[in-house]
Structures are given as C-alpha cells and as structure tokens.
Amino acid sequence: MRHRFGDVFSLQLAWTPVVVLNGLAAVREAMVTRGEDTADRPPAPIYQVPGFGPRSQGRPFRPNGLLYKAVSNVIASLTCGRRFKDDPRFLRLLDLAQEGLKEETGFLREVLNAIPVLLRIPGLAGKVLHSQKAFLAQLGELLTKHRMIWNPAQPPQDLTDAFLAEMDKAKGNPESSFSDENLCMVVADLFLAGMVTTSTTLAWGLLLMILHLDVQRRVQQEIDDVIGQMRRPEMGDQARMPYTTAVIHEVQRFGDIVPLGVTHMTSRDIEVQGFHIPKGTTLFTNLSSVLKDEAVWEKPFRFHPEHFLDAQGHFVKPEAFLPFSAGRRACLGEPLARMELFLFFTCLLQGFSFSVPAGQPRPSHSRVVSFLVTPSPYELCAVPR
Ligand code: HEM
Ligand SMILES: *[C@@H]1O[C@H](CO)[C@@H](O)[C@H](O)[C@H]1NC(C)=O
C-alpha cells in the first residue's frame, strides 16, 4: 500500500480512523520526536494480548516447542521464582497463551476493538476470548499458590513477591494499583509479550542456520575462538563476537516478527511528515517497512548478516534496526530479549550442529502471518559437536 499512498496514509477500520506510518523517517518522527504525544494505546475492549537432550539426537524434530518451553522458564523464573519442567498446569498455561495469540489474528482483534458490540455475538466472543480467559484463570491459580508460600519476612525473590509486598503496604488504599487483579495482568503481560516473541525469533534463527550452513559454521568458529567448549557463553562474550551479534540482529531484521507493531494512539493533534493527525487517532507503525526499507538495507529481502558489519568486520547497528519499535512505548523487554537471544543462540550452536534432515526438501523462508510472523513449520536435525 505504501507505494500507492506514500509514507503516511489513513484508512478506516470499521468506525476507527487509523493512520499507517511507513519507513524510518515517519516512524521515528512519530515515535521518538513526537513520542510524548503518541504514547497512548487505543482502548482494547477485549483484553489485549499483546534443551535438546540426547533423546532427539540426530533424529528430525520440530524445534519450536522446546524453544518455547525454554524461553517460558526465563519469564517463570523472573515472575514466579521457579522453573517448571513437565508440570501439566504450566504446560497448559503455555498452550493457552499460544492459542490465544493464534486465534485472535491482528485483524479480528482490531475489528472487535473497533466495534465492541460484536463481542455480544455469543459464538464470536466465545471463540476469541475463550483461551484468554482460560489463560488468566490458570495463571490466577499459579499466583494463588505462590501467595500461600510467600514469606513477607524474606527479601523478595521474584516479581510476584515484590508485588505482594507492595499490596500489603497499600492495604486500605482504594486508589492503589497494587491489586490482585493487576498482579495477574502484569504477570500475564510479561508471559504473553515475552515468550512467543523470543521463541519465534529463535525458531527463525535455527531455520536460517540450516538454510545458510556457511553462516552457521562462521558462528561456530567464532564461538570456538572466543568461548571454546569448556564453559557456557556469558553476556561478557558478546562484545568480542561481532559476527554472532550481527547474525542475531539479521535474524531479527529478516524474521520481522511484529510487522505492524503494536498500535498507538495520539493524545494530542500532531503533525508527522507534514501530515496533520488529530488527537485520538490509532497509529500503526509499519516496522516491516523500516526493517526492509530499500533505501537503508543493501539486500532488504535477503538474509545477509553483513548488514550489521563494517568493512573491518566490526559490529554496526543501522538506525533502521527497529524490531522493538522506538520511543517511550518501545518494547519494555528489549534488554531481556537481547540477553536471551544471545545466550540461547550461542549455547545451541556451541553444543550442536543443525541441518536439514536427510531426504527432506529444504524448508522455505516462507512466512505464516498471524499476530506474529512465524516461519512455516520445519524440522531439523541436531547433532552434538
Ligand atoms: C525478540 C523478542 C521481542 C520482540 C521482537 C518484541 C517486540 C515488541 C514490540 C514491537 C512492542 C511494541 C512497541 C510499541 O508499541 O511501539 C513490544 C512491546 C512490549 N514488549 Fe516486547 N518484544 C520482544 C520480547 C519481549 C520480552 C522478552 C518481554 C518481557 C519480558 C516483552 C515485553 C513487552 C511489553 C510489556 C510491551 C508493552 C510495553 C508498553 O506497552 O509500554 N517483550 N515488544
Ligand atoms: C508495510 O510495509 C511493507 C514493506 O514496505 C509493505 O509491503 C506493506 O504494504 C506495508 N503495509 C501497510 C499496511 O502499509
């Protein structure tokens, strides 16, 4: 649409006027320069959602489920102070989170937010809200259990402990936002925003490694030179691993998993690229148009780690690298996501070599678009190094 209508154009989604921002200049002007006036979110009547063991050695398998479980346990550690292995209630929580994101494709969600009365159609509301409701119920149960073992005398071990302590302090203050309900919402937000995004990015990473074996080998060479096989990777290694860092950034740029970002709303009349945008307008940041901007990237539609390397092989980060968006509402989990991507990716390539299973066709780069963009399902083999 950008080629027909330019970098800033408006359209009508049901009864809501929305503006789509395309390209680095427009997105940066709206999110950073005018960041104060574009930091609202549109109201959302429906709740807005925003290890490879020896068992599988050499045999083909789909990596997505294992990546998802591994990443989920990082969020579980931060919010609940523990990891889960095969606890059926935790596995159900993960299933529900995934279902919820799948069911409500971006478009259906926008329509339901724009026309909340549709939510009264029994079948439709049930379909969209079912897994979200079940997710919150399951999470509520987990948090109730956590509260029973909570010991206020101990320093907080995780986010829930800290929140419960604030709730205690705020007792009797009806204005306080430290409530049971908000605890559930905050933890739900972190789970939903943090699990599928990171694990989908890692799924893109492994796919790109089996499709580009030369890149995989160069990453492994760098891992061997800088870390070796005797210890696990640490964040301190990153500064000495420009190639691996470039590859991870290119995986994010190429994967482009949140193509239309998360909607914002103007809190004031503003001007962007000379266009007047009234207060209360919903904004879509077309992150895809920035991550694949032909004016910035040498090969926008190819996987090309050199996008992030200068002539001397040093890591460089072009301004148009915006997978987390920009400005004051940019992804709150970016620092955590950066660490997870580096540590999981290097650990996996330190321990294993990945390849397309013998006799299977090469998987494609094709994209499955729902709220997030995931790679088409694929299998790989993992052989210990
Ligand atoms: C590769 C991984 C990730 C990507 C690509 C990603 C991307 C994004 C994007 C594009 C937004 C919308 C920003 C905007 O509205 O302008 C966002 C928001 C958000 N992300 Fe992430 N994210 C990732 C990982 C995480 C993780 C690990 C967490 C939490 C632990 C997280 C928590 C959040 C939260 C809470 C918001 C909403 C912030 C707000 O409304 O102010 N994200 N993310
Ligand atoms: C977003 O950008 C991509 C790539 O430039 C483009 O193909 C697509 O039409 C844009 N989407 C919208 C809604 O403008």
Side-chain angles (χ1 to χ4, degrees):
M1 294 227 242
R2 180 186 184 190
H3 290 298
R4 277 175 59 198
F5 303 118
D7 285 349
V8 179
F9 63 84
S10 68
L11 46 89
Q12 196 81 14
L13 259 190
W15 292 320
T16 314
V18 312
V19 163
V20 183
L21 304 164
N22 275 291
L24 177 61
V27 169
R28 196 176 36 200
E29 185 177 346
M31 295 297 118
V32 183
T33 320
R34 316 291 341 221
E36 218 170 295
D37 308 331
T38 58
D40 280 2
R41 297 260 187 235
I46 76 170
Y47 165 62
Q48 221 177 353
V49 194
F52 298 100
R55 252 180 315 149
S56 52
Q57 248 180 51
R59 248 175 278 142
F61 67 101
R62 286 193 184 174
N64 306 50
L66 290 169
L67 293 172
Y68 184 51
K69 267 202 244 174
V71 166
S72 308
N73 269 315
V74 174
I75 309 268
S77 305
L78 292 172
T79 56
C80 307
R82 58 170 290 199
R83 304 171 58 83
F84 296 84
K85 253 193 134 171
D86 290 320
D87 181 328
R89 274 166 309 188
F90 186 65
L91 295 181
R92 181 160 156 70
L93 191 73
L94 300 192
D95 279 347
L96 290 169
Q98 223 167 8
E99 257 173 55
L101 282 173
K102 245 187 243 159
E103 261 173 20
E104 49 137 13
T105 60
F107 181 70
L108 186 56
R109 189 189 52 184
E110 290 311 324
V111 171
L112 289 174
N113 281 336
I115 323 175
V117 71
L118 288 182
L119 283 173
R120 299 212 190 124
I121 302 174
L124 194 56
K127 187 174 174 313
V128 176
L129 294 179
H130 169 76
S131 42
Q132 285 176 353
K133 268 203 192 129
F135 174 82
L136 287 176
Q138 192 74 50
L139 190 64
E141 211 181 284
L142 208 78
L143 293 173
T144 306
K145 261 180 84 184
H146 193 304
R147 173 192 294 266
M148 287 188 313
I149 56 163
W150 175 54
N151 178 359
Q154 292 270 323
Q157 305 287 316
D158 56 58
L159 181 112
T160 305
D161 283 353
F163 201 103
L164 289 172
E166 290 300 321
M167 265 169 70
D168 246 15
K169 275 193 236 158
K171 230 178 229 153
N173 173 5
E175 302 278 287
S176 169
S177 53
F178 292 103
S179 61
D180 272 320
E181 202 194 3
N182 264 343
L183 170 61
C184 196
M185 287 312 211
V186 166
V187 175
D189 261 351
L190 294 175
F191 267 101
L192 293 171
M195 298 190 301
V196 189
T197 43
T198 310
S199 62
T200 300
T201 305
L202 288 167
W204 274 111
L206 293 184
L207 173 67
L208 290 161
M209 290 309 98
I210 64 175
L211 292 175
H212 301 269
L213 292 176
D214 52 326
V215 176
Q216 180 177 169
R217 269 193 293 272
R218 268 187 78 180
V219 171
Q220 285 173 329
Q221 186 62 53
E222 193 174 61
I223 292 171
D224 294 348
D225 291 347
V226 175
I227 305 169
Q229 286 287 343
M230 302 303 286
R231 63 170 179 87
R232 289 278 175 234
E234 297 162 4
M235 281 319 290
D237 297 321
Q238 194 180 26
R240 289 182 295 143
M241 299 177 70
Y243 189 74
T244 305
T245 307
V247 168
I248 294 171
H249 281 71
E250 181 66 355
V251 165
Q252 283 202 275
R253 189 199 68 80
F254 184 87
D256 178 18
I257 67 166
V258 203
L260 284 180
V262 176
T263 48
H264 285 232
M265 194 177 76
T266 47
S267 52
R268 221 183 286 179
D269 288 8
I270 58 163
E271 207 172 271
V272 173
Q273 304 280 295
F275 291 93
H276 176 75
I277 303 177
K279 173 178 172 170
T281 305
T282 296
L283 300 178
F284 279 86
T285 46
N286 189 344
L287 298 181
S288 198
S289 72
V290 185
L291 292 175
K292 303 206 166 142
D293 197 328
E294 289 167 64
V296 178
W297 307 98
E298 199 188 325
K299 301 178 179 171
F301 304 104
R302 293 280 188 86
F303 178 69
H304 184 61
E306 286 71 22
H307 283 141
F308 294 92
L309 294 168
D310 68 11
Q312 283 73 47
H314 298 134
F315 174 71
V316 284
K317 188 157 90 175
E319 258 187 299
F321 179 75
L322 292 187
F324 300 101
S325 187
R328 47 164 71 190
R329 284 314 276 270
C331 177
L332 161 151
E334 174 172 351
L336 176 65
R338 298 240 62 85
M339 285 192 245
E340 291 184 80
L341 293 178
F342 178 76
L343 294 174
F344 278 113
F345 189 74
T346 49
C347 263
L348 287 169
L349 288 171
Q350 179 189 45
F352 299 91
S353 288
F354 296 94
S355 56
V356 178
Q360 285 196 20
R362 268 168 73 82
S364 74
H365 283 129
S366 67
R367 308 157 65 72
V368 178
V369 182
S370 120
F371 176 62
L372 292 182
V373 175
T374 50
S376 300
Y378 68 93
E379 289 192 333
L380 49 66
C381 292
V383 177
R385 300 178 62 210

